[in-house]
Amino acid sequence: MINKRGKKRPPIWQHLSKVAASLLVVQAVILGTPALTKPQEEAESTLPYNQLLEKIETGEVTRVELDRRGKKAKVTFQGQENLVEVDLLDRNPELIESINAANIEFEIKDSPDNSAAIGIGINLLLVLGLILGLGMIIRRAVSVSGQAFSFGKSKARFEMEATTGITFQDVAGIEEAKEELAEVVTFLKEPEKFTAIGARIPKGVLLVGPPGTGKTLLAKAIAGEAGVPFFSVSGSEFVEMFVGVGASRVRDLFHKAKENAPTLVFIDEIDAVGRQRGAGIGGGNDEREQTLNQLLTEMDGFKDNAGIIIIAATNRPDVLDSALLRPGRFDRQVMVDYPDYQAREKILEVHARNKKIAPEVSLKKIARRTPGFSGADLANLLNEAAIFTARRRKEAITISEVNDAIDRVIAGMEGTPLVDSKNKRLIAYHEIGHAIVSTLIPHHDPVEKVTLIPRGQALGLTWYTPNEEMGLTTRAQIIAQIAGILGGRAAEEVIFGWSEVTDGASDDLEKVTERARNMVTRLGMSALGPIALENMNNQVFLGNDWTNRVEYSEEIGARIDNQMRKIVFDCYGQAKKIIRENRSVIDMLVDVLIQQEVIEGDDFRKLVSEYTELQEERFTLAKG
Ligand code: ADP
Ligand code: MG
Ligand code: ZN
């Protein structure tokens, strides 16, 4: 296996701290060794200090040797060969006096100063340590700059796994994506099947979806199912400081992949290299563009059936260079989205396989409580629960560990998903408000789905299927759009009251204002008549001249405001009316939405019409 980043070196301060630590140890050892601090003595007998004074007075002493540092005196007695040792006090003025008085031979012989020697030794060691440390820094620096100059044979920064050991069984809840990719597996396994009938195999597949939804896992599973090696690299690895490094990495990667064909090459975060070229303020990024060009060249370079499939992942398909999406490159896109309730249950099942879970814990219930969790969040959730269980010395994961784990995962997640049931209900009413108004008002695009799964900033969303022939738009359609967008706020107000309306509608209101303003100032769709009072003037970045805004008087400005207000108020009135008249359908739909988090457009319309028919029947029955 080729490593991704080579060996990880510890940061330099770790080296230095190691050197410092060893110095401290050395110092402690030296200071703590008593043998070094004590002068060697050859004296054989000892004598108390006061007796020495007496003996000097009596004239028995012939010679005294003073060691001030060691606080000792070596005394020679009359007629004796051996020295006698006397322990001195800190200061000994009376001794000196009596020696002088008795006129005894006297010498000062201090023992060598060991502490000074130790000090010097330590300093030497410090200097040595510093030199060593410096040497290491310099060596590192040299090797780094060496790398910079050897980028021609750049270090491979991709990973290769001969077998991933992951199968489709490990990937749950994204059945559609799996189905689409099953074909890729067949191709890698038995390319003859396709080549025999002259079918062109896609070279690249783009997995599009938010982080943690299983894109990498899916790619690994394809390699695992097909039994081919898995090459992976992250787009950000390509983007280096030095121009040309990324491109040479791409070359390396494809070179290795070809040697090992059939293979699967996985490029994560492809948007890091694949952004639209020439975009962005302040000029392009040479390095990134070269890398992208190299990638395109490589993809074109190998034949259709060379046995290499490239799978790339991104959550920003909108920023990708259009050249990447052309036929013969990443011409297939597979969406991998946040899992809905059922998918979450399946993912939990996968990750519960190797864990001991108490029988009373219901994965269904966990799935219910975790809207907005990605597959990675769910895997993390069960793992956290297992950690809690181990810490509490329990046999199996119980509900209390699951609860704590959910709290921990949510606290660590972006945005707060809807676990709180009061908020959830309010958001459900807001979304159903959009959906019901836009369904019941004429001329509106059909609802595609309503969801309570939070996404980015949005806590809930209502999607529409735009008209296929995006041709001209009529006034009635724009009015219907405005009413539909206001449906959310209208539901909040009608159901919960004026004081309970929320700031969640701010995006909606911006859209409404923009549309109403367009109607009045650009499209001539108000009582101000067919006059263009403004141009498309907000496209500075496309290089449009934004100074050609038509000027109008303050009076006209006030009239524009009035007309906009009229349009918006009319629409808001219509929306509120629809909400009020359909209150019981809305209540029912909200319950369904809270239950299943997603209602598909067809189901939504069916529910509405069934319910309304039922009401009408009851109504006629009651009448008749
Ligand atoms: P992405 O590449 O989309 O950011 P990953 O594939 O790296 O996400 O997912 C991270 C982890 O989350 C996986 O290793 C797996 O444990 C878990 N996971 C994500 N999606 C799924 C799924 N659909 N089924 C099972 N596990 C999943
Ligand atoms: Mg990934
Ligand atoms: Zn809304």
Side-chain angles (χ1 to χ4, degrees):
M1 183 170 123
I2 302 161
N3 251 345
K4 206 175 179 181
R5 281 216 172 264
K7 255 189 291 162
K8 269 230 170 93
R9 288 195 198 85
I12 188 67
W13 62 266
Q14 271 186 10
H15 285 297
L16 287 184
S17 67
K18 262 187 219 154
V19 171
S22 55
L23 276 176
L24 280 180
V25 170
V26 168
Q27 209 162 356
V29 167
I30 293 174
L31 290 178
T33 310
L36 276 174
T37 47
K38 262 195 189 156
Q40 276 88 8
E41 285 298 333
E42 67 277 20
E44 271 142 35
S45 54
T46 57
L47 191 79
Y49 181 64
N50 52 354
Q51 283 189 26
L52 172 67
L53 291 181
E54 277 171 24
K55 298 233 159 144
I56 290 176
E57 266 164 38
T58 56
E60 285 170 64
V61 178
T62 56
R63 187 170 187 278
V64 175
E65 227 182 271
L66 268 188
D67 172 0
R68 284 174 306 187
R69 192 170 298 276
K71 295 201 191 97
K72 288 200 173 11
K74 282 180 204 160
V75 183
T76 319
F77 287 97
Q78 234 167 20
Q80 272 187 17
E81 279 288 296
N82 293 339
L83 295 171
V84 175
E85 197 178 277
V86 179
D87 282 327
L88 301 179
L89 309 175
D90 271 350
R91 308 182 68 215
N92 316 279
E94 57 286 337
L95 177 65
I96 310 291
E97 261 172 36
S98 49
I99 287 174
N100 282 342
N103 209 358
I104 297 171
E105 196 182 331
F106 168 67
E107 195 180 350
I108 292 178
K109 242 188 180 178
D110 287 343
S111 59
D113 185 350
N114 276 320
S115 64
I118 292 166
I120 291 171
I122 288 169
N123 284 341
L124 271 175
L125 273 170
L126 256 172
V127 169
L128 213 82
L130 278 177
I131 291 174
L132 273 175
L134 265 176
M136 272 185 293
I137 294 173
I138 290 168
R139 268 208 355 238
R140 270 169 54 91
V142 167
S143 73
V144 166
S145 62
Q147 275 166 19
F149 294 116
S150 67
F151 55 68
K153 20 179 178 107
S154 73
K155 288 248 164 55
R157 290 250 176 132
F158 47 86
E159 263 178 295
M160 189 197 130
E161 290 177 44
T163 46
T164 61
I166 289 171
T167 67
F168 274 157
Q169 289 216 319
D170 300 310
V171 190
I174 33 179
E175 303 308 323
E176 282 169 36
K178 266 156 75 172
E179 262 165 43
E180 280 206 65
L181 292 166
E183 194 182 281
V184 176
V185 174
T186 328
F187 164 65
L188 284 168
K189 256 181 166 164
E190 308 158 278
E192 323 81 57
K193 263 196 181 174
F194 293 82
T195 48
I197 53 167
R200 191 180 64 82
I201 304 298
K203 282 180 190 169
V205 179
L206 187 63
L207 298 180
V208 178
T213 46
K215 298 183 294 297
T216 309
L217 189 70
L218 198 55
K220 284 192 175 174
I222 295 167
E225 289 279 337
V228 301
F230 179 76
F231 281 79
S232 76
V233 68
S234 168
S236 53
E237 300 267 355
F238 283 140
V239 183
E240 285 282 336
M241 220 183 329
F242 302 104
V243 174
V245 178
S248 93
R249 292 223 166 101
V250 173
R251 260 195 308 277
D252 271 7
L253 173 67
F254 279 88
H255 182 71
K256 280 269 163 20
K258 273 182 217 159
E259 278 176 0
N260 289 282
T263 46
L264 191 152
V265 174
F266 179 63
I267 305 177
D268 211 350
E269 300 172 44
I270 192 164
D271 42 294
V273 271
R275 265 168 203 270
Q276 188 71 42
R277 283 165 293 184
I281 293 166
N285 174 339
D286 268 355
E287 162 62 357
R288 199 169 50 71
E289 289 190 4
Q290 281 197 20
T291 310
L292 176 57
N293 288 338
Q294 187 66 39
L295 184 64
L296 295 173
T297 316
E298 291 289 346
M299 283 190 82
D300 292 341
F302 59 81
K303 296 224 182 56
D304 278 347
N305 300 317
I308 301 177
I309 293 256
I310 305 159
I311 297 194
T314 181
N315 57 352
R316 299 287 319 271
D318 49 317
V319 301
L320 290 185
D321 195 291
S322 48
L324 271 174
L325 306 175
R326 242 175 250 150
R329 290 161 183 168
F330 294 103
D331 47 355
R332 260 202 217 179
Q333 296 195 18
V334 176
M335 293 292 298
V336 187
D337 212 342
Y338 283 114
D340 62 7
Y341 159 63
Q342 277 160 354
R344 290 201 299 273
E345 189 187 340
K346 288 196 190 115
I347 295 173
L348 285 167
E349 271 165 19
V350 167
H351 291 279
R353 266 189 225 147
N354 57 357
K355 294 190 178 64
K356 270 196 197 141
I357 298 185
E360 77 268 15
V361 175
S362 145
L363 296 183
K364 267 195 176 42
K365 276 198 186 136
I366 304 180
R368 276 249 178 276
R369 291 190 47 199
T370 48
F373 277 46
S374 68
D377 295 328
L378 292 170
N380 187 18
L381 164 68
L382 284 187
N383 190 47
E384 289 287 344
I387 290 172
F388 278 125
T389 310
R391 204 177 289 159
R392 294 170 190 173
R393 293 171 207 284
K394 290 194 187 171
E395 290 284 299
I397 299 173
T398 72
I399 293 170
S400 91
E401 281 79 46
V402 171
N403 287 343
D404 291 348
I406 290 181
D407 286 351
R408 172 171 289 191
V409 175
I410 289 175
M413 266 175 36
E414 265 187 13
T416 329
L418 314 162
V419 198
D420 170 5
S421 66
K422 190 194 162 209
N423 269 341
K424 191 167 181 172
R425 199 152 267 281
L426 193 134
I427 294 158
Y429 270 106
H430 179 106
E431 294 309 324
I432 294 290
H434 285 308
I436 195 91
V437 171
S438 46
T439 303
L440 295 182
I441 205 165
H443 309 294
H444 200 290
D445 288 337
V447 172
E448 189 179 316
K449 66 175 172 185
V450 193
T451 152
L452 278 190
I453 300 174
R455 208 135 322 168
Q457 292 293 312
L459 297 168
L461 279 173
T462 305
W463 309 69
Y464 302 98
T465 321
N467 196 348
E468 286 294 320
E469 307 125 52
M470 286 266 285
L472 303 168
T473 313
T474 64
R475 180 171 193 272
Q477 283 171 329
I478 302 178
I479 291 284
Q481 281 176 7
I482 295 178
I485 300 171
L486 286 169
R489 167 54 73 83
E492 287 180 23
E493 190 192 332
V494 170
I495 299 197
F496 296 94
W498 181 233
S499 58
E500 294 295 303
V501 297
T502 67
D503 56 358
S506 64
D507 265 6
D508 293 344
L509 300 189
E510 259 171 47
K511 277 187 220 150
V512 163
T513 315
E514 187 204 306
R515 280 181 175 69
R517 183 168 199 96
N518 274 348
M519 284 178 76
V520 180
T521 63
R522 293 182 39 222
L523 308 175
M525 288 182 178
S526 76
L528 285 191
I531 302 166
L533 293 159
E534 280 172 12
N535 286 337
M536 290 278 275
N537 55 21
N538 49 358
Q539 304 199 339
V540 186
F541 299 107
L542 297 183
N544 286 3
D545 183 5
W546 56 291
T547 53
N548 63 358
R549 178 178 179 141
V550 180
E551 294 294 329
Y552 46 74
S553 67
E554 251 176 59
E555 194 218 324
I556 298 278
R559 286 175 70 190
I560 292 176
D561 277 354
N562 265 333
Q563 288 300 317
M564 280 171 61
R565 228 173 273 272
K566 189 171 177 315
I567 292 171
V568 174
F569 281 27
D570 279 358
C571 291
Y572 193 53
Q574 282 191 56
K576 284 207 285 193
K577 183 159 174 273
I578 293 176
I579 305 273
R580 270 196 298 268
E581 285 172 358
N582 294 277
R583 178 65 198 263
S584 52
V585 197
I586 293 173
D587 290 344
M588 180 269 297
L589 289 166
V590 162
D591 286 341
V592 176
L593 183 60
I594 287 179
Q595 257 288 302
Q596 41 180 71
E597 284 162 21
V598 182
I599 306 180
E600 299 293 334
D602 289 339
D603 298 337
F604 185 86
R605 281 179 287 278
K606 214 167 120 203
L607 283 169
V608 173
S609 61
E610 275 173 9
Y611 196 89
T612 348
E613 274 164 31
L614 201 75
Q615 292 297 96
E616 274 162 16
E617 261 171 48
R618 276 197 199 135
F619 186 66
T620 38
L621 275 181
K623 252 182 144 181

